[in-house]
Amino acid sequence: MEKIKPRESVGKRASRLNLESPSGERRIIIPKKIGFLYEQVVSEANCVCAVEEMTKGKSNNRRAAHIRENADEYGKALSKEISTETWVPKPYKEHVIRDGIRKKERRIKVPCLHDQAVHHAVMRVTVPHIMKRNYFYNCGSVPDAGQTRASRAMQHWMKQKKIIKYCQQLDIYHFYEECPHWAVMNALGRIFKDKKFLALHQKILDSMGDGLAIGFYPSQWYANVVLLWVDMEIKQRILPDCKYVRYMDDMCILHNNKRKLHRARDEIVKILNQIGLKLKYNHQVFRIKGRGVQFLSYRFYYGYTVMKKSLMYRISRKMKRVGKSPTLHNAMSAVSYMGILKHCNSFNFRRLHVYPYVSIKKCKGVISHESRNLNHATATI
């Protein structure tokens, strides 16, 4: 008598969703939709935790410090406001920053503290269900992932015995500005079926204006939930045997067949068109040997990793400035850059351009001293 195998739960890992029908065609099984989440959002315990999360790291803001001291009262009032459907988003503040090495212009939209607390209350219930369905090598704005997981994955793939010949790099054109709200709601509707819960998400999206607002906490998760289905299609239908990593809207696909990569790009374009998005003109397929793969802050070669040239010049200039004036901001920058350097082959660079000018131990001492002073000052207010 044959033993009956225990039924395997569907949806715990992306690899288990990839099944084959009797005819040999590949099919995708999606987990059941989730309901009864609105009650979790409006619960007082959830709202109190949301208020505490929202005020974390805002010690210089007196209003935020006052709210944190009275988190129980604010949480109960917030719970009542959401449950009675009287919450109305207020207008956000907007300012422009120059981000990154290229000084790219970005418009930051900052909601008021009360709206931020509502965002945290909703996303505290939403995020765990998105994380269950998340592709493991989606590394942008994901807890315990980030640039470190992406760089380690690339280094591992480039050190394998079976050499990968070709790389394809794709970037979505103005993703945050062009992402339509209906695409976000469709993506959320594939996971959740609670109408009141989805109505809260719709109200948050309407308060952002056009696209996804940079500066709103839910925006990064809305971006991930929209592209979650693109990741699923790539790894289960379009090119299952590829090595694929994504950092927000930047995609990197490694494979040994150039023609399959070109066909995969055409399929990805069709999927993006269905959700109102398109690729940038600078997509490319190239041979890795000799050129390497430039992704995030590094350039990956077979067996070793180096920094991007622009970042190397930036770090060397910054270390000289830190040596002349070891302020808190400069010390934090130096420690942060050392975190980038330790994930690549940078021994000679550190020996020539870091250690003669900066003592990392002293920088950590400056940060520790200033943080103690700041904590003491906030405690006496």
Side-chain angles (χ1 to χ4, degrees), residues 285-300:
V285 176
F286 56 89
R287 186 181 288 272
I288 297 174
K289 185 177 180 180
R291 174 176 173 175
V293 179
Q294 184 171 306
F295 188 62
L296 301 177
S297 301
Y298 306 105
R299 188 178 287 273
F300 301 93

Side-chain angles (χ1 to χ4, degrees), residues 47-62:
C47 291
V48 170
C49 292
V51 170
E52 292 175 350
E53 281 185 8
M54 180 272 296
T55 55
K56 190 180 294 184
K58 295 184 174 70
S59 55
N60 293 331
N61 189 325
R62 291 188 177 183

